[in-house]
């Protein structure tokens, strides 16, 4: 087990997230997407999606949709600008179609926030599952 207890799973280090990404372990906690999402973790999460060796690609892709949806829905101008910059940075190295689709959809949602739909940008995104 990667995490000593469930409370620790809600504050994972980048190393713990990476270890879990390549493990056969089940998700440590329901809605764990919310625990891994953060501006500092998104570039790392994107590398998992582009890596065929990652065992939890769908989970991480779903977490990206939740991240974008939460930022856009928050209407925080500062966070939306940070997200826009992050999306542009990730786009420079994105390899997989899944990641490229998230990038294009995120750019569109940022420009058209009224098109937010929880079914696609919330937990269990229909874009992924």
């Amino acid at each position: 087990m990667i995490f000593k207890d469930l409370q620790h799973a809600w504050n994972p280090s980048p190393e713990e997230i990476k270890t879990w990404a390549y493990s056969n372990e089940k998700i440590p906690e329901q809605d764990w997407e919310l625990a891994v999402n953060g501006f500092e973790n998104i570039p790392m999460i994107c590398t998992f999606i582009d890596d065929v060796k990652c065992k939890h690609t769908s989970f991480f892709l779903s977490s990206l949709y939740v991240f974008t949806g939460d930022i856009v829905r928050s209407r925080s101008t500062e966070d939306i600008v940070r997200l826009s910059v992050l999306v542009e940075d990730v786009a420079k190295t994105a390899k997989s179609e899944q990641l490229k689709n998230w990038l294009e959809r995120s750019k569109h949602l940022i420009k058209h926030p009224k098109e937010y739909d929880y079914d696609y940008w919330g937990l269990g995104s229909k874009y992924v599952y």
Side-chain angles (χ1 to χ4, degrees):
M1 179 177 241
I2 295 168
F3 303 100
K4 297 173 189 146
D5 56 47
L6 292 180
Q7 185 177 16
H8 187 72
W10 279 102
N11 190 24
S13 70
E15 295 78 24
E16 290 167 325
I17 295 169
K18 184 174 182 178
T19 299
W20 182 80
Y22 294 93
S23 77
N24 288 319
E25 289 191 27
K26 293 183 180 182
I27 188 171
E29 184 68 23
Q30 182 178 347
D31 302 338
W32 198 54
E33 293 94 330
L34 304 175
V36 301
N37 278 346
F39 281 102
E40 66 283 351
N41 289 334
I42 298 303
M44 175 181 63
I45 288 171
C46 291
T47 66
F48 299 154
I49 294 164
D50 277 343
D51 186 351
V52 295
K53 294 177 185 172
C54 178
K55 304 214 178 193
H56 300 286
T57 303
S58 295
F59 168 85
F60 287 113
L61 187 59
S62 178
S63 74
L64 292 179
Y65 283 102
V66 170
F67 184 74
T68 296
D70 285 352
I71 296 294
V72 170
R73 198 169 46 122
S74 77
R75 298 185 181 158
S76 166
T77 304
E78 180 181 327
D79 285 345
I80 291 170
V81 168
R82 284 182 73 192
L83 176 61
S84 296
V85 170
L86 179 64
V87 164
E88 291 302 323
D89 286 345
V90 170
K92 295 173 187 172
T93 58
K95 296 176 184 111
S96 70
E97 280 304 308
Q98 293 176 312
L99 188 56
K100 290 176 183 178
N101 287 339
W102 169 74
L103 291 164
E104 290 307 311
R105 290 171 178 153
S106 293
K107 289 175 188 178
H108 181 83
L109 188 65
I110 290 166
K111 290 179 183 173
H112 307 282
K114 290 185 179 181
E115 293 182 18
Y116 171 87
D117 181 338
Y118 182 85
D119 288 342
Y120 293 90
W121 297 97
L123 294 168
S125 169
K126 286 185 177 182
Y127 283 132
V128 179
Y129 301 108

